[in-house]
Amino acid sequence: ENGKFFLLCATVHKTMEKLFSATSAPPPAGSALEKATRFFQSQRSKIQPWRSFTAPPAMPASAAETTRRVTHNVMHFQANYACVVAALTVYCLLSFPVLLIVICLVSLGALAILYFSEDGQPVVIFGRPFSARELFTGLAIVAVPALYLASVGSAFFWLLGASCFFVLVHAAFTPVAPSQDRAPPLQTV
């Protein structure tokens, strides 16, 4: 059983390497996959060292210092914060298992519609032909109440609040290194 797990991990690792390595053949130009790949590669190159991200916190001296820290750190650690928000998203989905199941089922339904109506021909269900538009409309009619009953609103607002709280607290209490501080000092008038 451990061998299967390690084989699965190796397969996932190879797939991720193919997706994010610069040596793999790029997807067709202008495709959504190509744009997403470029976006993730650019964000990955912007990740700051985690040692500096987890630097010891320090109390800001004033409200102006807090504002300066938040402004600087949000821009400086933008990709790190995106990783933290992604981790919070995973935690949120695992905390709402019914929501995770509903999202998986809706996604599988959408993929099935795309797969079976690939050539533009209507899909025949119970002897009646349905266009892809009708199938997606039916999926939306089923998905919206299912997502509502699965507490998608609660999960969204929890994720929004937890992300904002973490980012703002971290940005306010992480001191700016003198080498990173390029803004002129604030002058009181």
Side-chain angles (χ1 to χ4, degrees), residues 96-103 143-155:
F96 289 85
V98 174
L99 178 60
L100 181 62
I101 292 168
V102 168
I103 289 173
V144 169
L147 288 169
Y148 176 77
L149 292 173
S151 302
V152 72
S154 297

Side-chain angles (χ1 to χ4, degrees), residues 36-147:
T37 303
R38 272 190 294 150
F39 173 76
F40 283 117
Q41 285 175 346
S42 71
Q43 290 302 310
R44 192 170 141 198
S45 67
K46 292 179 186 177
I47 291 177
Q48 299 301 318
W50 289 99
R51 183 174 294 276
S52 67
F53 184 74
T54 57
M59 187 67 99
S62 64
E65 172 71 13
T66 304
T67 303
R68 188 175 66 79
R69 283 185 183 186
V70 168
T71 304
H72 176 272
N73 287 336
V74 165
M75 294 304 295
H76 185 68
F77 292 117
Q78 180 179 6
N80 297 69
Y81 290 140
C83 292
V84 170
V85 170
L88 284 172
T89 303
V90 169
Y91 174 76
C92 180
L93 287 174
L94 294 176
S95 297
F96 289 85
V98 174
L99 178 60
L100 181 62
I101 292 168
V102 168
I103 289 173
C104 287
L105 290 175
V106 169
S107 299
L108 286 174
L111 288 174
I113 292 170
L114 290 173
Y115 178 76
F116 289 116
S117 63
E118 187 175 297
D119 56 358
Q121 298 295 321
V123 178
V124 179
I125 301 174
F126 298 121
R128 184 186 183 283
F130 290 95
S131 68
R133 184 179 192 153
E134 292 171 321
L135 292 173
F136 277 118
T137 302
L139 182 63
I141 289 170
V142 171
V144 169
L147 288 169

Side-chain angles (χ1 to χ4, degrees), residues 23-41:
T23 59
S24 64
S31 71
L33 181 62
E34 187 253 343
K35 290 176 185 175
T37 303
R38 272 190 294 150
F39 173 76
F40 283 117
Q41 285 175 346

Side-chain angles (χ1 to χ4, degrees), residues 151-174:
S151 302
V152 72
S154 297
F156 173 76
F157 285 112
W158 179 90
L159 181 61
L160 182 67
S163 299
C164 289
F165 177 79
F166 177 84
V167 168
L168 290 176
V169 168
H170 180 271
F173 288 99
T174 301

